[in-house]
Amino acid sequence: MKFHTSATILATLAFLPPLTWAQEQVIPRPAEISVDKDGEPIYMDRQPEIRVATGNRSIITGTSSPYVKAATQAARFLAEGMGKPALPLGWRFRDSQPAGTLIDIQPDEELRKQHGDEAYRIAVDTKYAAADLMLRISVASPKAIYPAFQTIAQMLPPAFFDPKADKNATEWKLADAPFTITDYPRFAWRAFMLDEARHFYGADAVKRIIDTMALLKMNILHWHLTDHGGWRIEIKKYPKLTSVGGKRRDTEIGTWRSGKYAGKPHEGHYTQDQIRDIVAYAADRGITIIPEIDVPGHAAAACASYPELKLTLKQPTEVPVTFAQDVALDPTNERVYEFVSDVLDEVITLFPSPIIHIGGDEVRFNTCWKGEPAIEKFMKEKGYTQYAEVQMYFTQRIAELLRQKGRRLMGWNEILGHDNHGDGGGTADTRGKIDTSSVVHYWYGKPSIAIQALKDGYNIVNSVTDYTYLDFDYKRTPLSKAYSFEPAFKGMAPDMPGKLLGIGCQMWTEWVPDRDRLDYQMYPRVIAHAETGWTQKERKNYAGFLKRMENFRAIMDAKGIRYAKDEIK
Ligand code: ACM
């Protein structure tokens, strides 16, 4: 990177209309941007070198340093985007004065104290060397390195994201003038959920999503891997979960009870090796994967796979080809707890996340449990009067299993025992029954449920349906509505013992048979949710977002994302 002094380039620039400042195109919108508007454009026309240092001293002691690991990953990302050769150990790290251009990464404790682990500052440092510029990136921790490079990537020409572009012919202009960006997230939890149980897309599709999530500074991939319509994760102790549960004969299409079918089988699952590979791929990009194994409801694929385990009181005879089902695990059967424990044992070896999502949503009490002799007997023995209490018993046991395995439970807000759906669960006061180390995933029901949970000490992720469900059509949830989502609950107070961790947006895929449809449902709404998760509330602005979307649209075109074009005309 250096000032261009070439007469041709200066002449070309003189005839161009004024550009939006590249640094003002970044999504999510950074917290603070300042531009030296009298300065000259900045180009990254040489292969940058990356150094991790404090002052003038390198702090690199070996490739195991988390700073070096993150910097190497970020350097690879930059090299690939700019079509530069990737050196064997990432790019060269150096201590000496730069001969070419230098990106200097420095830990900054002050930044961490002020704005948390993910804070970074990018500044163009013209002092470093007379002829060559340097980007100085201050980071609160290694976690801030990859996000900082995503900001840089969004400032470069969209050819950065186009594998087919002639990268050598691209002029890598970074900005129209020197600048400083100071940036940090509003929320620590910025999640996208992918349902691969209803439709399976495969590792390439997931990695492509991970790349875009990282670009948007989203940091949690919530992976919904099991449901009525399919079981997508290899469990070695129960091979039929995938050999039987990973396949279905046909698929209802269009909408609920449409009576129309695809007329072909659907199948797919991830081997444990593939899962490990995807988890590592995500981790390299700053993303934690939270797996969801949905119990006790949404479990027809498991039950169809193992009828001999009597997982459910109403065994399905096959993996259902329609999505609306009333199948739930049998909470009175000890074999069920053994099964869930075995499955979780394998799940936790694959996912280092401290939190495991166990679903817990939508047990249809009236149809799954009401009138079942085993349930009625169990309730009598326990003195329960409400089916919700039976679910609470189940959830408590699973939370305890996870605690023993060193993990924490996360579940949809039904884990608190409310009868959200009028399914005959009752209104038993089950508060305080589930350990408050559990995370409540609020999606449905009165907001007072969330407020009470915060008062009771639970941390919450807000994924309320109307704003964050990406399966909803654009008439119901247009981009403007998605963007207007405010995750903080009315009546929330800073001294409540529970905390609002952040936001999730959910891609349920009952009616999403392929990757094109997946793109269409996700984008551009996911981009809006990414901004809500990261950008400070007072910095959000829909008109400005649409303006910045002009650049992001070019990025999506370069990446081949088939977004809903009408939303951002
Ligand atoms: C859900 O949409 N059933 C969480």
Side-chain angles (χ1 to χ4, degrees):
M1 178 182 56
K2 70 179 178 62
F3 287 116
H4 259 287
T5 47
S6 135
T8 359
I9 286 169
L10 288 177
T12 317
L13 281 171
F15 288 103
L16 285 176
L19 299 167
T20 310
W21 298 104
Q23 46 277 49
E24 289 172 358
Q25 295 178 359
V26 175
I27 299 180
R29 190 179 187 200
E32 296 164 34
I33 303 171
S34 68
V35 180
D36 170 9
K37 293 191 176 171
D38 297 328
E40 292 185 56
I42 294 154
Y43 294 83
M44 293 175 66
D45 58 352
R46 292 192 203 172
Q47 177 154 318
E49 295 171 11
I50 295 184
R51 182 179 79 158
V52 184
T54 307
N56 275 333
R57 294 194 46 209
S58 166
I59 60 164
I60 297 169
T61 51
T63 47
S64 62
S65 146
Y67 278 99
V68 175
K69 261 183 95 174
T72 305
Q73 192 59 32
R76 257 192 218 128
F77 165 75
L78 201 59
E80 193 183 310
M82 291 171 64
K84 307 278 185 197
L87 301 179
L89 283 172
W91 288 358
R92 190 150 62 92
F93 295 89
R94 45 175 297 153
D95 279 325
S96 55
Q97 282 287 96
T101 61
L102 184 66
I103 296 178
D104 194 52
I105 299 174
Q106 297 208 316
D108 185 329
E109 182 57 17
E110 208 43 50
L111 205 51
R112 194 188 63 75
K113 279 198 204 132
Q114 276 183 14
H115 299 301
D117 277 359
E118 294 176 277
Y120 68 89
R121 178 176 296 120
I122 306 173
V124 174
D125 190 332
T126 51
K127 296 191 297 289
Y128 196 85
D132 293 291
L133 283 173
M134 178 178 70
L135 277 189
R136 188 182 287 280
I137 305 182
S138 311
V139 289
S141 79
K143 275 174 144 181
I145 294 176
Y146 206 71
F149 278 74
Q150 304 305 306
T151 294
I152 292 170
Q154 283 195 37
M155 292 171 64
L156 290 168
F160 186 93
F161 298 97
D162 184 353
K164 294 194 287 297
D166 182 351
K167 309 232 177 198
N168 288 328
T170 303
E171 192 168 71
W172 295 110
K173 183 165 82 168
L174 179 69
D176 296 298
F179 64 93
T180 303
I181 289 177
T182 304
D183 201 11
Y184 44 89
R186 177 179 178 198
F187 292 111
W189 188 289
R190 305 175 302 275
F192 167 75
M193 189 212 79
L194 180 65
D195 166 11
E196 280 208 274
R198 271 61 172 263
H199 280 99
F200 180 80
Y201 307 101
D204 287 351
V206 175
K207 287 183 177 177
R208 185 169 170 261
I209 288 172
I210 287 170
D211 288 344
T212 311
M213 286 178 66
L215 180 62
L216 292 165
K217 302 187 175 78
M218 300 178 93
N219 62 350
I220 307 274
L221 174 59
H222 165 189
W223 208 1
H224 185 81
L225 286 164
T226 73
D227 211 296
H228 295 314
W231 184 285
R232 307 293 177 209
I233 170 173
E234 178 190 26
I235 301 294
K236 293 197 189 287
K237 194 161 184 185
Y238 298 94
K240 286 198 282 183
L241 285 173
T242 44
S243 68
V244 174
K247 301 175 179 178
R248 59 174 186 262
R249 180 174 53 77
D250 203 347
T251 301
E252 184 178 35
I253 55 170
T255 188
W256 311 101
R257 299 179 184 88
S258 67
K260 297 194 184 112
Y261 294 89
K264 57 180 182 195
H266 184 81
E267 68 175 279
H269 73 270
Y270 294 104
T271 65
Q272 295 200 348
D273 281 346
Q274 285 174 317
I275 298 254
R276 269 187 277 270
D277 175 60
I278 292 170
V279 167
Y281 186 91
D284 280 345
R285 287 152 184 80
I287 293 170
T288 302
I289 303 190
I290 310 262
E292 180 182 346
I293 305 297
D294 204 345
V295 287
H298 289 273
C303 299
S305 307
Y306 282 97
E308 65 271 30
L309 295 185
K310 289 214 180 313
L311 293 172
T312 183
L313 298 155
K314 291 179 179 152
Q315 285 294 349
T317 52
E318 61 172 356
V319 175
V321 301
T322 58
F323 295 111
Q325 291 298 319
D326 295 331
V327 177
L329 301 186
D330 178 358
T332 70
N333 181 359
E334 282 308 309
R335 192 66 182 88
V336 163
Y337 298 96
E338 202 179 313
F339 168 79
V340 175
S341 177
D342 290 343
V343 167
L344 291 175
D345 278 341
E346 295 193 31
V347 166
I348 64 174
T349 63
L350 300 171
F351 295 94
S353 143
I355 293 171
I356 305 290
H357 205 304
I358 60 99
D361 54 320
E362 297 185 304
V363 175
R364 302 295 181 192
F365 300 115
N366 274 333
T367 43
C368 291
W369 289 347
K370 189 177 174 190
E372 285 293 342
I375 297 275
E376 304 297 343
K377 178 165 168 274
F378 183 78
M379 287 176 73
K380 220 170 182 171
E381 280 166 15
K382 297 275 179 199
Y384 296 159
T385 56
Q386 313 291 342
Y387 297 108
E389 290 174 286
V390 180
Q391 177 160 3
M392 291 302 286
Y393 169 88
F394 176 89
T395 311
Q396 267 177 301
R397 285 196 58 177
I398 305 303
E400 178 55 20
L401 278 178
L402 278 173
R403 195 192 61 74
Q404 284 167 9
K405 298 175 199 298
R407 305 297 173 97
R408 290 162 55 200
L409 177 146
M410 178 167 184
W412 301 105
N413 54 274
E414 286 94 327
I415 62 166
L416 294 176
H418 300 270
D419 179 16
N420 275 344
H421 308 286
D423 286 325
T427 51
D429 181 6
T430 45
R431 281 195 282 129
K433 294 254 174 80
I434 301 291
D435 192 287
T436 50
S437 69
S438 307
V439 178
V440 174
H441 201 171
Y442 177 73
W443 72 287
Y444 194 79
K446 294 191 198 90
S448 57
I449 293 173
I451 291 287
Q452 187 60 51
L454 289 165
K455 283 185 186 159
D456 290 343
Y458 294 103
N459 286 347
I460 292 206
V461 172
N462 193 345
S463 285
V464 71
T465 50
D466 269 359
Y467 291 90
T468 70
Y469 269 36
L470 300 161
D471 54 322
F472 287 9
D473 65 33
Y474 281 93
K475 238 162 119 183
R476 180 165 176 189
T477 308
L479 178 64
S480 53
K481 179 169 179 178
Y483 190 82
S484 73
F485 178 47
E486 170 45 44
F489 296 95
K490 284 198 183 78
M492 223 173 84
D495 61 349
M496 285 177 171
K499 294 280 163 269
L500 174 62
L501 297 180
I503 151 173
C505 54
Q506 292 67 228
M507 187 66 258
W508 300 107
T509 60
E510 287 94 329
W511 320 113
V512 181
D514 54 37
R515 278 167 61 169
D516 280 359
R517 186 74 200 180
L518 191 62
D519 277 3
Y520 178 86
Q521 293 296 130
M522 282 175 67
Y523 305 101
R525 287 184 291 203
V526 139
I527 306 165
H529 295 307
E531 181 144 309
T532 300
W534 178 278
T535 300
Q536 305 305 307
K537 187 179 171 187
E538 62 283 2
R539 294 279 290 166
K540 278 186 71 187
N541 172 301
Y542 188 55
F545 175 71
L546 289 179
K547 183 93 190 114
R548 281 175 288 121
M549 193 68 96
E550 286 169 20
N551 187 55
F552 207 88
R553 195 168 50 190
I555 292 175
M556 289 194 286
D557 286 335
K559 286 168 89 62
I561 292 175
R562 297 185 183 269
Y563 53 96
K565 293 205 158 78
D566 283 354
E567 292 297 299
I568 44 176
K569 268 197 295 227

